[in-house]
Each structure stands twice: as structure tokens, then as C-alpha cells.
């Protein structure tokens, strides 16, 4: 999944981003609200982690503007303010959850999973297509009785392609959803992951078709 991390403390931002990337997520850090808005204008995110006290404004104003604009991307607020009134305030403004600093990384990860489950995340749904069964929770593809394990980005690529069979995804779209801005990515990287996933689809009725000059799509043979 792709996360936007809005946090001005460089050490905390780096630690949180590294931990989430170990779970296979792409994470774009933003040290201020202006950077966060730039990121939102350029990419689509599955979850936003938002600090309140930022150099160029109050995270609660950002939260309020997102909800007033009708954008429902899940938002978890991270702040040192521990009073009940503070928690109630951000939840009433539209936050999906709230974590108090300092927090344990395991708790933050659990809250992220819980929020995404409540939002009906596609990653929580077992799907069947063309003779295979895809289980994101266990990161596996089953073809008949054969269980094939998926690595982090193979899992995400499968989820993207299976979200819209027959739809063509360009390499740029796949890069945008598989990698963060901080990662140097070439077209060859997408080809590598597509090649790996193709091998794991063998024996099923599904295949990844290359549409020359445009991109890739998942089709049924």
C-alpha cells in the first residue's frame, strides 16, 4: 500500500517510514503541510499518517479541509497531545484513528491494519479469478492444490492488476503505486516484477498481457 507520512521530526519520520517499508508499503514523507498537499496532488494514497504541530500550520486544519473537500482517504493522527478532549476533537473532525507519541511501532502498525480493514481494504479480501485464488492476508496464490508465496511487491502488483481485470495499467501507473518518490525506479524494475508474477500464474487460466507501448493487463485465457 502507499502511505503519506506527514511528520516534521526527521528522526521519527525516518524510523516510521523504515518500519512501514519493511512491511512492504511505499511511504512518501512530507515535513510540512505544503509538501503534503503537493504529494496529494501527484499521487493517490491508501492511508495518511498526520502530525498536528507542523512548521506551516495545524494538522487539524489539513484534516478538516480534506474532509470538507469530500476526500475520504483514511487518516491516522499522530501527536503528543494526550488529553481526551484532543482525541475527541480530531475524531470529530474526521480522523479515522489517533495514536499518542511516543508510541510503539507495533501499535502503529496494528492501528494502520485496523483502519484499512474498516475501510474495506482490498488487501483483506480473498479473490478468485481464472482458476486461481489470491489471499492477500497470507500473501499467497493458489492454483489447484499448489500454494505459491508472493513477495511484498509481487503481492501489491497482483492486487493492482486483479482490482480491474482487462484494464491496462501503464508502467508509470504501476511505478506510482509500487514505489515511493524516494526510490529510484526504472521501467526495467516493473518488467522484473511482472516477469516474476507471470511465473507464479503458470498453470492457471490467468496471464499478464503486455500491450505494446501502453502497459500491462490481467486477462483470462
Amino acid at each position: 500500500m502507499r502511505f503519506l507520512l506527514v511528520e516534521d521530526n526527521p528522526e521519527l519520520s525516518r524510523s516510521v517510514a523504515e518500519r512501514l517499508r519493511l512491511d512492504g508499503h511505499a511511504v512518501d514523507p512530507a515535513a510540512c503541510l505544503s509538501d503534503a498537499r503537493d504529494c496529494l496532488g501527484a499521487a493517490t494514497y491508501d492511508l495518511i499518517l498526520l502530525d498536528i504541530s507542523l512548521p506551516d500550520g495545524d494538522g487539524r486544519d489539513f484534516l478538516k479541509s480534506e474532509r470538507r473537500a469530500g476526500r475520504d482517504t483514511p487518516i491516522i493522527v499522530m501527536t503528543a497531545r494526550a488529553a481526551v478532549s484532543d482525541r475527541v476533537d480530531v475524531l470529530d473532525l474526521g480522523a479515522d484513528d489517533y495514536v499518542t507519541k511516543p508510541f510503539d511501532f507495533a501499535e502503529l502498525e496494528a492501528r494502520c491494519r485496523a483502519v484499512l480493514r474498516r475501510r474495506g481494504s482490498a488487501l483483506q479480501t480473498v479473490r478468485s479469478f481464472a482458476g486461481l485464488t489470491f489471499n492477500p492476508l497470507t500473501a499467497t496464490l493458489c492454483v489447484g492444490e499448489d500454494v505459491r508465496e508472493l513477495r511484498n511487491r509481487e503481492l501489491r502488483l497482483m492486487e493492482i492488476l486483479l482490482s480491474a481485470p482487462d484494464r491496462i495499467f501503464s508502467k508509470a501507473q504501476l511505478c506510482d503505486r509500487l514505489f515511493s518518490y524516494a526510490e529510484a525506479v526504472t521501467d526495467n524494475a516493473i518488467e522484473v516484477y511482472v516477469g516474476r508474477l507471470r511465473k507464479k500464474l503458470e498453470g492457471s487460466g490467468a496471464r499478464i498481457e503486455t500491450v505494446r507501448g501502453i502497459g500491462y493487463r490481467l486477462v483470462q485465457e
Side-chain angles (χ1 to χ4, degrees), residues 43-134:
T44 299
Y45 293 94
D46 299 292
L47 180 68
I48 299 172
L49 298 172
L50 176 66
D51 188 19
I52 286 182
S53 301
L54 293 157
D56 58 347
D58 192 313
R60 289 170 296 188
D61 293 331
F62 173 89
L63 171 61
K64 190 186 303 182
S65 67
E66 285 297 292
R67 297 308 186 227
R68 283 182 174 174
R71 291 184 283 270
D72 64 352
T73 303
I75 297 176
I76 297 177
V77 170
M78 308 181 301
T79 180
R81 302 179 184 183
V84 172
S85 59
D86 291 318
R87 296 199 295 271
V88 171
D89 185 26
V90 297
L91 292 171
D92 283 346
L93 288 175
D96 294 85
D97 204 348
Y98 184 108
V99 61
T100 304
K101 300 176 184 176
F103 50 77
D104 185 272
F105 287 125
E107 179 188 1
L108 178 63
E109 290 170 324
R111 289 183 180 276
C112 290
R113 291 192 298 269
V115 165
L116 291 170
R117 280 198 301 272
R118 291 200 297 270
R119 287 301 181 102
S121 170
L123 283 180
Q124 305 301 322
T125 305
V126 176
R127 303 184 189 182
S128 297
F129 177 79
L132 63 82
T133 301
F134 171 52

